[in-house]
Amino acid sequence: MDNYLINLIDRMLDTSDQNKEAGYDSSKTISWKALREAENVENTAYIPQLITFIDNEKDKKKRDRSYFLLGHIAKNTSDLKALDYLIYRIQKETDKYIIASLLDRIAAIKKPIGTDLQPLIQATKSDKWLIRHSAIQSLKNALDSAAETALIEILNDSDDPYDLVYTNATINTIGTLRAIPFLEKHLKSRKRDVKDSAKYAIEEIKKRHE
């Protein structure tokens, strides 16, 4: 793998200069600067190298940082190979924190019609709330109607207020008029966050379809 990539991943993991004393500023650490650097990488030539690296890397922290980098390259370049690979890896990882972080990366990437959303949709049904909530948000920027259908199913069947708030927040970005009756169901919720987020989602959907 390119020396730059190896160096960047190592720097993203480097916490050697973190000072816990008064006046500590995380923005001056090696890892913080490297993470900000990774957010701006646009070189698609790095994609196959990162894929090979992740496939063979046993250190989960290095895989996690590689997903961070690959996710930002995919976001910055709209590269579908990188997106598809990130989605594929959801079912390969076992650590809930890494899976949730991976789903968070996917949320920011545009997912055109034809993208295989099933691993994301399946993750919305996880018994681990950390994964479930990140999976719901990972359907943001998805253009396929399957994403909205999955979110409507949650609105229709779930009584978990946290699941519903995350679903309302996601569907307000991708929802169509067919979601409104399911959102209206929650306008009378006793949970203020559920009620308010449903109301806001309805308003945003109507604005887009005026």
Side-chain angles (χ1 to χ4, degrees), residues 9-148:
I9 291 168
D10 286 343
R11 283 188 285 122
M12 284 193 280
L13 289 166
D14 190 341
T15 59
S16 63
D17 61 342
Q18 290 189 0
N19 188 335
K20 301 300 182 184
E21 297 176 3
Y24 166 67
D25 183 357
S26 65
S27 68
K28 297 185 184 301
T29 65
I30 293 171
S31 58
W32 189 92
K33 290 177 181 177
L35 288 165
R36 303 294 77 77
E37 181 180 333
E39 289 173 348
N40 294 303
V41 176
E42 297 181 344
N43 190 342
T44 55
Y46 293 151
I47 293 171
Q49 297 181 56
L50 285 166
I51 288 174
T52 300
F53 178 78
I54 292 167
D55 282 340
N56 294 286
E57 181 53 57
K58 290 182 169 41
D59 186 325
K60 65 182 181 181
K61 289 184 179 179
K62 287 188 177 182
R63 290 200 308 276
D64 185 45
R65 288 297 182 253
S66 298
Y67 290 138
F68 183 89
L69 176 55
L70 186 58
H72 281 287
I73 295 174
K75 176 188 174 185
N76 295 337
T77 65
S78 299
D79 188 283
L80 297 182
K81 182 178 180 181
L83 169 62
D84 290 343
Y85 179 75
L86 291 168
I87 293 174
Y88 157 76
R89 289 296 301 184
I90 291 167
Q91 296 173 317
K92 294 294 182 181
E93 293 291 346
T94 56
D95 184 290
K96 65 180 179 181
Y97 298 104
I98 291 182
I99 295 170
S101 178
L102 181 51
L103 289 163
D104 291 343
R105 298 282 72 75
I106 292 168
I109 305 169
K110 290 182 180 178
K111 294 167 278 291
I113 293 172
T115 302
D116 180 13
L117 300 176
Q118 285 310 306
L120 309 182
I121 292 170
Q122 190 61 38
T124 67
K125 302 172 184 178
S126 172
D127 59 357
K128 296 180 175 64
W129 64 264
L130 184 68
I131 292 175
R132 200 166 62 245
H133 294 167
S134 289
I136 291 168
Q137 294 178 96
S138 76
L139 294 173
K140 289 179 179 177
N141 293 302
L143 300 181
D144 198 297
S145 62
E148 183 181 26

Side-chain angles (χ1 to χ4, degrees), residues 113-188:
I113 293 172
T115 302
D116 180 13
L117 300 176
Q118 285 310 306
L120 309 182
I121 292 170
Q122 190 61 38
T124 67
K125 302 172 184 178
S126 172
D127 59 357
K128 296 180 175 64
W129 64 264
L130 184 68
I131 292 175
R132 200 166 62 245
H133 294 167
S134 289
I136 291 168
Q137 294 178 96
S138 76
L139 294 173
K140 289 179 179 177
N141 293 302
L143 300 181
D144 198 297
S145 62
E148 183 181 26
T149 298
L151 295 170
I152 285 174
E153 184 178 324
I154 297 170
L155 291 177
N156 194 47
D157 299 340
S158 179
D159 57 6
D160 183 302
Y162 296 102
D163 287 5
L164 291 171
V165 168
Y166 281 109
T167 301
N168 290 342
T170 299
I171 211 165
N172 102 18
T173 67
I174 67 167
T176 65
L177 295 175
R178 74 182 177 111
I180 289 180
F182 300 93
L183 288 162
E184 287 176 337
K185 170 185 173 183
H186 299 288
L187 291 177
K188 296 180 181 178

